[in-house]
Amino acid sequence: MGLSIRALGITSTRSMRKDSVRKNSLQEKRSVRTRMLAEFWFYFAENRGAVIGLRVFALLVLLAIAAPLVAPLPPSEQYRDAFLTPPVWQEGGSWKFILGTDAVGRDILSRLIYGARFSLFIGLVVVTIAISGGVLLGLLAGYCRGVIDTLIMRIMDVILAFPSLLLALVMVAILGPGLLNAMIAIAIVLQPHFVRLTRASVLNEINRDYVTSARVAGAPPLYLITRTILPNCLSPIIVQGTLSFSTAILDAAALGFLGLGAQPPTPEWGTMLAEAREFILRAWWVVTFPGLAILLTVLAINLVGDGLRDALDPKLKKS
Amino acid sequence: MTHLLDIRKLCIDFQSASGLFRAVDSIDMHCDSGEILAIVGESGSGKSVAMLAMMGLLPWNAKISAERMLFDGHDLLGLNKRERRRIIGKDIGMIFQEPMSSLNPCFTVGFQIGESLRLHLGLKGARKRERSIALLRQVGIPAPETRLSAFPHQLSGGMCQRVMIAMVLASNPKLLIADEPTTALDVTIQAQILELLLSLQREKDMALILITHDMGVVAETAERVQVQYAGQKVEEQNVRSLFSAPRHPYTAALLASLPERARTRGKLPSIVGVVPGQFDRPPACLFAPRCAQAKSVCNENVRQQGAAHGHALCNFPLEYTK
Amino acid sequence: MLKFILRRFALLVPTFLGITIVAFGFVRILPGDPVLLMAGERGLTPERYQRLLEEFGYNRPLWQQYIDYLGDLLRGDFGNSFVTKQPVLSEFFTLFPATVELSVCAMVIAIIVGIPAGIVAASKRGSFWDQSIMGTALVGYSMPIFWWGLLLIIVFSGWLGWTPISGRISLVYFFQAKTGFMLIDSLLSGQDGAFLSALRHLILPSLVLATIPLAVIARQTRSAMLEVLGEDYVRTARAKGLSTRRVVGLHALRNAMIPVITVIGLSVGTLLAGAILTETIFSWPGIGKWMVHSISRRDYQVVQGGLLLIAVIVMVVNLLVDMAYGLINPRIRHN
């Protein structure tokens, strides 16, 4: 009896010690992470353009979320007595329609605010699909090598052989026009970049000493890939992800403009432009504002992307 | 008497995010035709920076000031860019540490030599080619006719350095600055390149400034030696007396760390500590924190000795009894 | 060098096969009966249906169909458009010069503006010029070009009336196409003002199409120059006493061009994608507009053939760029 109690005592102190060690290392990990974040933010905040871009992007996200609260009018409501009203500062404009109305009397400002929802949603979904698919395939190709590698990379080469918008166009022709199909098509077109990046990083990292030592220590392949290799190829993927975010918005708008993306009366910016095309010489505002919205959004994201690249790329850090 | 090169109290500061950094601190230097001057010091002692400043090759954030900076009667500080270029590359030539990366990978050897010939001597066409071949032969490159159309990546490091030397010789310079010319090369090649530099110097009666951290190289080549530490000149003597009677404790320590000169078997002596940086600059003598002979006065002021004590920048230069 | 080209060429074979599989599979994954889709006719009688089925070969095994398809391609048979009944290949070649003319003009603008802009920005790093050039380049890089085209039409055609809205040349002029390039044809025709008219029609579309490649080239040139300017050989060139102009414009630029050439090559795909939008906006009768048009009127033979032809052209251009890369970079040429 006494013996077993003593044994219990030993095990409990041992497990306590283990616990405290684990806690310490956790805290250490956390503090390393905060320090890395702080360092990253230091370099990122040095870039004035990137900070401005981030602010604009945050504002767009807020606008998109709060669209029903912010938008002055419902986006699809047609005001029959106000076709092609010019913006407020021009003769004939009114405060009711600050940026004017389109050919069927819908308020452009409200449609733009709702449109932010679509653009950001498109960017988010496309990048999520492209990154998860691309990283998975890239890891597979880089880790397995051999036939699987060749097969995956050749398929990616084929996708990249087509001009991206053309391939997206044809895929939408197959799947049928619509926002969802457009997003799938764009994601497929953007994916090869992530596959190539991930594969290159994996090949670069896999022969490094720290990976070898983890393998010698008996780390299973899955652990090796997700915990050891992946975090080290993260920064180029993040940068490419930001770039793809803006490309996705641009391409989706282009598809909408060609009539193959979001369908009217969806207040998607590209679709709005397509509807406005015939009025370009009569009512400049129906064309100008949706495009300006696309430009500003893409510009903000690209500014953030440039800042991220500078902050994450250690090669450029010192210069 | 006027020297070919005469520099007085040269100071160079680098502007950086954390303030000014003094890389060169009131250095005096002179060199005459037919003379070989060696500048010795650890990396970071400002030996290359001073020469780069003279060539006008420092980046924009370097601030250069000097009491005097004369070359062949021209005031290098007062020249504008165009006038300076008529001297740089023509009367003063410089070769660098990394011969492989110092040649432009996109142009042939012949093009890069010919460029100098055309710029400084106005040679063209067949005469330019002829001269290029002669130059390559002079620096000991076999089959120079075929090497003219070679690209730098097709040559070895030693060959590249020979090409660099040929390129510099193209304009018959009065002064040749060699910045660690053999550091990046194999030991056997090192000796060949040094031998080449020396014979060319004798033949053309050039002034040669050899920048190096290698005391062995100094012993084999130089006539006069100038030792630099942390941007200051700490000692200057002719080579024989420097090796037999170093006056500054730093020079003595440098010499003591040479394997050939080690007095005892076993571990080689080394100098404790590191060269001071931007933030831990000692108040007076910069070597004091690492100096075995340092006294408390060394942290208050430091005195430059006369020629008899090797111009040593030291309050207590080493004394020798005959 | 020959070995280098051959090796690059061999690498293209699997990609080419992949492209043909995509084009071949395109019709077969379309929803609906391929015979009806490809015939593009309504109210087919069962006999006609059967005939078409055999003509198209859809009743045979898939692999045999693919072999036949490859054979047809190698014989230059890309099928017929079922709207115009013309062979796809001949339609392509009548429209292709218009796209080439537009793309080449755009690329020339992008290169002659983009490279100097990048050089200026790099050599005056951090200055007002650097910041304005790079700011403008980022805006250009973020530009939705279909909107940019419309905006230019509003300003230059609508408000100022300087340029025509669409087409390649004013309808006043008529002459036989000899080369297919309007600028050259209009000169050859000898008609007064024809060349000027062609030029005025070309200027806006090529500006629009040049926008993104221009921004990309300027950015790449700047970063490549910055990297190269810190190299040892640039110091050597300056130590030789060469003028800043020669150091930057020859010694540095020649090395910086290596990555820029790569980017120019990659821009060809972007350019053709941009041509789709630009040609649609300006009603430019090239292959981009042709593709969009064919998709919207479900002329799938044309879409299939056009997709393949465009991909092959991108591939060939990339091969040419690779070869140019070998020419400009001696290290690749000799290894």
Side-chain angles (χ1 to χ4, degrees):
Chain A
M1 187 67 189
L3 203 128
S4 78
I5 285 171
R6 255 177 81 187
L8 245 171
I10 288 169
T11 52
S12 71
T13 49
R14 205 183 261 164
S15 72
M16 261 169 67
R17 196 176 297 150
K18 218 177 182 179
D19 261 10
S20 76
V21 164
R22 194 178 291 157
K23 213 183 246 168
N24 275 345
S25 76
L26 248 175
Q27 266 169 1
E28 220 164 77
K29 229 182 197 170
R30 223 170 269 160
S31 80
V32 165
R33 243 176 233 164
T34 30
R35 227 181 311 134
M36 275 169 67
L37 262 177
E39 193 195 352
F40 160 75
W41 180 250
F42 173 79
Y43 284 111
F44 186 82
E46 256 186 358
N47 188 335
R48 226 177 42 210
V51 176
I52 295 175
L54 193 64
R55 289 216 181 110
V56 173
F57 185 70
L59 188 74
L60 279 167
V61 173
L62 282 180
L63 271 182
I65 294 172
L69 303 173
V70 186
L73 297 165
S76 302
E77 182 77 40
Q78 304 182 358
Y79 295 88
R80 292 296 162 91
D81 48 349
F83 293 157
L84 294 175
T85 313
V88 58
W89 57 86
Q90 235 183 3
E91 214 181 309
S94 83
W95 276 105
K96 189 176 175 196
F97 310 109
I98 296 175
L99 295 183
T101 59
D102 64 7
V104 288
R106 290 172 297 197
D107 179 41
I108 291 179
L109 179 62
S110 310
R111 288 177 70 73
L112 288 181
I113 293 173
Y114 272 91
R117 293 188 147 185
F118 287 94
S119 284
L120 295 177
F121 177 69
I122 292 166
L124 195 69
V125 172
V126 168
V127 170
T128 312
I129 299 176
I131 287 191
S132 42
V135 168
L136 206 69
L137 287 174
L139 287 175
L140 210 63
Y143 193 80
C144 300
R145 308 301 315 268
V147 187
I148 298 176
D149 182 24
T150 315
L151 193 68
I152 292 176
M153 294 323 285
R154 286 291 87 80
I155 292 175
M156 295 305 133
D157 281 350
V158 171
I159 296 179
L160 285 174
F162 297 95
S164 59
L165 188 66
L166 179 67
L167 192 59
L169 213 63
V170 169
M171 266 191 273
V172 173
I174 296 173
L175 300 168
L179 192 56
L180 182 71
N181 290 344
M183 289 195 295
I184 295 173
I186 296 168
I188 293 176
V189 171
L190 289 178
Q191 171 175 280
H193 299 288
F194 293 100
V195 180
R196 283 192 166 183
L197 260 180
T198 313
R199 175 175 175 272
S201 308
V202 170
L203 291 186
N204 199 13
E205 301 290 333
I206 204 157
N207 289 323
R208 295 282 177 85
D209 292 341
Y210 75 94
V211 178
T212 314
S213 65
R215 187 182 294 167
V216 171
L222 197 65
Y223 181 90
L224 205 62
I225 289 177
T226 53
R227 291 296 174 85
T228 318
I229 298 175
L230 196 55
N232 286 294
C233 6
L234 222 50
S235 43
I237 292 172
I238 291 174
V239 174
Q240 182 65 36
T242 335
L243 286 178
S244 298
F245 201 105
S246 56
T247 313
I249 292 179
L250 272 181
D251 281 359
L255 287 179
F257 178 75
L258 293 172
L260 291 164
Q263 295 299 304
T266 315
E268 197 271 325
W269 295 337
T271 314
M272 285 172 72
L273 270 175
E275 292 176 79
R277 247 188 89 185
E278 45 186 309
F279 306 103
I280 53 170
L281 294 181
R282 272 198 282 155
W284 59 270
W285 58 92
V286 285
V287 175
T288 309
F289 295 124
L292 204 59
I294 302 173
L295 174 62
L296 284 179
T297 311
V298 174
L299 188 60
I301 297 166
N302 282 343
L303 276 170
V304 174
D306 274 9
L308 278 177
R309 190 195 54 205
D310 291 353
L312 290 174
D313 190 341
K315 253 199 305 189
L316 293 168
K317 245 182 209 175
K318 286 186 186 98
S319 61
Chain B
M1 133 187 185
T2 52
H3 299 291
L4 179 69
L5 175 70
D6 190 359
I7 296 176
R8 260 323 140 68
K9 298 228 177 301
L10 173 68
C11 292
I12 298 167
D13 295 292
F14 282 97
Q15 207 130 35
S16 72
S18 47
L20 277 184
F21 169 67
R22 175 148 289 199
V24 172
D25 192 358
S26 338
I27 280 190
D28 298 345
M29 188 186 295
H30 64 87
C31 191
D32 290 302
S33 299
E35 190 189 20
I36 302 177
L37 168 68
I39 305 178
V40 191
E42 293 169 70
S43 40
S45 59
K47 32 193 210 317
S48 315
V49 176
M51 291 297 105
L52 290 173
M54 195 176 78
M55 302 282 287
L57 294 179
L58 289 179
W60 57 272
N61 61 344
K63 300 276 167 283
I64 305 163
S65 68
E67 210 166 79
R68 189 195 297 163
M69 201 189 220
L70 289 177
F71 175 80
D72 205 16
H74 301 278
D75 178 15
L76 289 177
L77 283 176
L79 295 179
N80 65 27
K81 270 189 184 169
R82 182 176 297 238
E83 290 164 336
R84 183 194 285 265
R85 278 205 305 270
R86 231 169 268 154
I87 298 175
I88 300 302
K90 182 169 190 325
D91 292 337
I92 310 178
M94 186 161 180
I95 61 173
F96 302 97
Q97 182 171 357
E98 297 282 346
M100 301 283 260
S101 61
S102 293
L103 287 171
N104 195 323
C106 281
F107 296 107
T108 61
V109 165
F111 178 88
Q112 296 188 55
I113 296 176
E115 208 177 19
S116 285
L117 287 171
R118 195 172 150 179
L119 179 72
H120 298 299
L121 304 181
L123 293 184
K124 280 179 196 144
R127 291 191 53 206
K128 188 169 78 174
R129 190 183 146 82
E130 232 166 72
R131 184 85 188 103
S132 307
I133 293 174
L135 281 167
L136 286 183
R137 188 166 292 134
Q138 204 170 8
V139 296
I141 289 182
E145 295 84 356
T146 54
R147 291 305 161 100
L148 278 184
S149 55
F151 283 93
H153 69 270
Q154 296 168 307
L155 304 177
S156 66
M159 279 297 163
C160 281
Q161 196 59 295
R162 284 175 196 266
V163 170
M164 281 293 289
I165 295 172
M167 204 162 79
V168 167
L169 285 183
S171 59
N172 286 319
K174 296 174 181 158
L175 168 64
L176 174 60
I177 303 166
D179 184 357
E180 306 257 11
T182 57
T183 311
L185 303 175
D186 290 343
V187 184
T188 46
I189 311 293
Q190 281 185 8
Q192 290 175 11
I193 295 288
L194 277 179
E195 189 48 49
L196 174 66
L197 279 174
L198 289 184
S199 70
L200 288 170
Q201 183 266 338
R202 249 170 302 176
E203 202 175 298
K204 311 227 166 209
D205 201 33
M206 284 187 297
L208 174 63
I209 296 181
L210 188 67
I211 300 171
T212 181
H213 65 269
D214 185 344
M215 276 293 186
V217 170
V218 174
E220 285 166 39
T221 53
E223 295 160 3
R224 198 151 51 79
V225 185
Q226 173 165 329
V227 182
Q228 279 186 214
Y229 179 76
Q232 292 179 333
K233 181 168 97 173
V234 294
E235 178 161 3
E236 181 189 335
Q237 289 204 62
N238 73 49
V239 67
R240 206 162 291 167
S241 57
L242 183 98
F243 274 80
S244 61
R247 297 296 180 170
H248 196 282
Y250 174 64
T251 317
L254 268 186
L255 290 173
S257 63
L258 282 178
E260 302 90 320
R261 288 170 67 94
R263 305 252 163 79
T264 51
R265 292 177 65 85
K267 219 175 148 193
L268 274 176
S270 61
I271 312 176
V272 221
V274 290
V275 184
Q278 188 178 359
F279 303 107
D280 53 359
R281 207 174 165 84
C285 177
L286 298 183
F287 188 60
R290 302 170 74 183
C291 182
Q293 279 99 326
K295 308 215 164 45
S296 63
V297 65
C298 294
N299 282 323
E300 284 152 27
N301 59 56
V302 63
R303 201 157 53 88
Q304 172 114 46
Q305 300 293 330
H309 290 97
H311 304 279
L313 192 65
C314 182
N315 293 327
F316 309 103
L318 304 176
E319 299 287 350
Y320 299 88
T321 47
K322 287 240 162 157
Chain C
M1 188 68 195
L2 189 72
K3 220 170 130 192
F4 173 73
I5 297 173
L6 283 178
R7 213 176 50 222
R8 299 291 317 168
F9 207 79
L11 275 176
L12 288 185
V13 173
T15 314
F16 174 74
L17 288 178
I19 291 170
T20 57
I21 291 174
V22 170
F24 172 77
F26 164 68
V27 177
R28 283 150 190 89
I29 34 178
L30 279 169
D33 187 330
V35 178
L36 295 178
L37 280 171
M38 293 308 271
E41 293 171 31
R42 283 180 200 182
L44 287 177
T45 58
E47 295 85 57
R48 172 118 177 98
Y49 182 91
Q50 197 56 41
R51 237 192 32 242
L52 282 175
L53 186 71
E54 271 158 36
E55 192 186 317
F56 289 136
Y58 289 141
N59 51 350
R60 290 190 289 158
L62 210 55
W63 62 269
Q64 208 165 10
Q65 288 180 39
Y66 176 67
I67 299 290
D68 288 348
Y69 175 68
L70 271 187
D72 284 346
L73 290 185
L74 292 179
R75 275 193 303 276
D77 178 8
F78 287 72
N80 294 333
S81 156
F82 46 72
V83 177
T84 61
K85 307 292 176 207
Q86 295 290 314
V88 172
L89 196 64
S90 72
E91 273 198 5
F92 179 86
F93 279 118
T94 35
L95 296 172
F96 190 51
T99 301
V100 172
E101 187 172 38
L102 181 63
S103 308
V104 168
C105 278
M107 207 32 130
V108 168
I109 294 175
I111 290 173
I112 62 175
V113 180
I115 291 180
I119 296 172
V120 170
S123 49
K124 299 191 186 306
R125 183 183 192 180
S127 70
F128 167 77
W129 282 106
D130 182 19
Q131 287 177 352
S132 2
I133 288 173
M134 282 306 109
T136 315
L138 193 66
V139 173
Y141 183 64
S142 312
M143 190 63 85
I145 59 166
F146 44 100
W147 172 71
W148 178 227
L150 295 178
L151 213 59
L152 290 181
I153 290 178
I154 292 180
V155 175
F156 289 102
S157 309
W159 294 354
L160 298 171
W162 290 354
T163 53
I165 293 180
S166 64
R168 295 179 76 187
I169 194 163
S170 164
L171 294 173
V172 180
Y173 305 101
F174 181 79
F175 40 80
Q176 210 58 46
K178 287 193 180 108
T179 58
F181 302 107
M182 199 51 89
L183 285 179
I184 299 173
D185 284 346
S186 62
L187 269 183
L188 290 177
S189 76
Q191 294 178 32
D192 276 349
F195 178 72
L196 216 64
S197 170
L199 197 64
R200 289 200 340 182
H201 279 79
L202 183 62
I203 191 89
L204 278 195
S206 42
L207 268 180
V208 168
L209 191 53
T211 305
I212 288 179
L214 170 62
V216 172
I217 290 173
R219 280 160 64 97
Q220 181 64 54
T221 305
R222 177 180 181 269
S223 68
M225 280 301 276
L226 281 182
E227 201 176 317
V228 166
L229 283 176
E231 295 282 350
D232 285 349
Y233 50 78
V234 169
R235 188 180 57 186
T236 309
R238 284 167 60 202
K240 268 174 161 177
L242 299 174
S243 65
T244 309
R245 211 159 126 188
R246 195 170 166 94
V247 172
V248 174
L250 187 74
H251 283 259
L253 187 63
R254 180 69 193 270
N255 286 280
M257 276 305 102
I258 293 169
V260 174
I261 292 266
T262 318
V263 158
I264 290 176
L266 291 176
S267 300
V268 173
T270 323
L271 212 60
L272 285 174
I276 295 172
L277 294 165
T278 314
E279 290 178 2
T280 307
I281 297 166
F282 289 95
S283 301
W284 190 266
I287 50 169
K289 183 165 166 270
W290 178 58
M291 287 299 282
V292 174
H293 216 77
S294 305
I295 288 176
S296 61
R297 62 187 184 190
R298 301 178 195 285
D299 194 344
Y300 291 123
Q301 284 278 15
V302 171
V303 178
Q304 185 187 34
L307 188 67
L308 184 77
L309 284 165
I310 291 175
V312 168
I313 284 166
V314 171
M315 223 168 66
V316 169
V317 171
N318 281 338
L319 180 71
L320 291 177
V321 170
D322 267 351
M323 274 147 64
Y325 190 86
L327 277 183
I328 201 167
N329 188 349
R331 273 166 294 194
I332 289 210
R333 204 184 321 160
H334 294 287
N335 292 342

